[in-house]
């Protein structure tokens, strides 16, 4: 049976969704079964309209209990002041029952990001998200510097050792670059290989 990975995102201006689609391509290239979800929105329609947010992608909203289904989960997280936004936190804060029962223990976890600026906190967002993974005894899989574009200083490129990323500008006006897309696809493929290797090995025991 192939391994399963869920991609769980919050995307205000669409940057995280774009990265998620590339991550999904990489996961599928590694032979992993994937599903793409978004978290519930907490902002009102009036606020979203004033922020000029585009319509949400046509993907299902994740339910807390659905987090127990896959072998691994990659979270797509736009940064707010160097940490996760309230929408992602609301989902993770609702996992108390899963923590109490150990339902997420041993599952793999990964992260990717979007920030307004190069110094917007992609790494601090990863580090403050890892605390949830630790409490759930999930296995965090960083990306490392597995893609050569992360060494490229000739242009603005999001991402770090903790996962793929993009720089969106405060108003969301900068599009995800081709290099950022390549990094995201690479992360998906690498993450998928890790999960698939573990699941296939476990299935033979």
């Amino acid at each position: 049976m192939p391994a399963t990975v869920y991609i769980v995102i919050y995307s205000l201006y669409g940057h995280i969704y774009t990265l998620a689609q590339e991550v999904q391509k990489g996961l599928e290239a590694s032979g992993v079964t994937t599903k793409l979800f978004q978290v519930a929105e907490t902002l009102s329609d009036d606020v979203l309209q004033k922020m000029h947010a585009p319509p949400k992608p046509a993907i299902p909203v994740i339910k807390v209990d659905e987090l127990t289904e896959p072998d691994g989960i990659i979270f797509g997280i736009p940064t707010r002041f160097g940490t996760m936004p309230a929408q992602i936190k609301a989902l993770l804060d609702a996992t108390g029952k899963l923590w109490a029962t150990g339902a997420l223990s041993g599952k793999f976890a990964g992260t990717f990001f979007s920030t307004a600026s190069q110094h917007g906190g992609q790494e601090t967002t990863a580090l403050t998200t890892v605390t949830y993974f630790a409490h759930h005894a999930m296995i965090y899989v960083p990306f490392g510097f597995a893609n050569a574009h992360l060494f490229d200083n000739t242009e603005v490129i999001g991402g770090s050792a903790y996962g793929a990323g993009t720089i969106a500008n405060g108003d969301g006006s900068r599009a995800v670059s081709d290099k950022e897309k390549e990094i995201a696809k690479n992360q998906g493929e690498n993450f998928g290989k890790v999960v698939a290797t573990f699941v296939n090995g476990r299935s033979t025991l």
Side-chain angles (χ1 to χ4, degrees):
M1 178 180 293
T4 300
V5 173
Y6 284 2
I7 307 166
V8 179
I9 68 169
Y10 175 69
S11 192
L12 183 61
Y13 291 113
H15 295 73
I16 286 291
Y17 179 54
T18 297
L19 289 178
Q21 291 174 300
E22 297 302 319
V23 169
Q24 187 170 33
K25 290 176 185 176
L27 287 167
E28 291 173 348
S30 70
V32 169
T33 299
T34 69
K35 289 185 179 181
L36 179 55
F37 296 89
Q38 60 187 323
V39 301
E41 181 58 85
T42 61
L43 298 176
S44 68
D45 290 340
D46 287 344
V47 170
L48 291 171
Q49 185 175 7
K50 290 176 181 177
M51 296 176 73
H52 305 289
K56 294 294 181 185
I59 56 176
V61 174
I62 190 81
K63 298 182 177 70
V64 172
D65 289 344
E66 290 177 311
L67 295 173
T68 66
E69 297 172 352
D71 301 293
I73 306 169
I74 299 185
F75 292 89
I77 309 171
T79 297
R80 300 291 184 270
F81 302 101
T83 187
M84 72 184 74
Q87 293 83 355
I88 293 284
K89 194 173 190 302
L91 173 71
L92 295 178
D93 281 349
T95 59
K97 179 181 177 182
L98 304 186
W99 166 76
T101 58
L104 301 182
S105 178
K107 295 186 183 295
F108 292 88
T111 48
F112 60 95
F113 314 95
S114 175
T115 51
S117 69
Q118 293 182 76
H119 313 292
Q122 294 189 13
E123 293 188 357
T124 56
T125 299
L127 292 170
T128 51
T129 305
V130 165
T131 59
Y132 283 91
F133 303 151
H135 279 254
H136 281 290
M138 300 178 78
I139 304 167
Y140 182 60
V141 181
F143 182 51
F145 286 83
N147 189 286
H149 292 321
L150 290 174
F151 295 97
D152 186 350
N153 293 318
T154 63
E155 61 183 271
V156 173
I157 298 174
S160 72
Y162 297 93
T166 189
I167 311 300
N169 285 339
D171 59 359
S173 60
R174 180 183 180 271
V176 180
S177 73
D178 289 340
K179 289 181 180 180
E180 290 169 338
K181 290 178 181 179
E182 289 179 31
I183 294 168
K185 183 178 179 181
N186 195 173
Q187 182 184 7
E189 189 167 3
N190 289 6
F191 187 87
K193 288 177 180 177
V194 170
V195 178
T197 297
F198 174 80
V199 170
N200 292 336
R202 182 179 62 187
S203 66
T204 62
L205 296 177

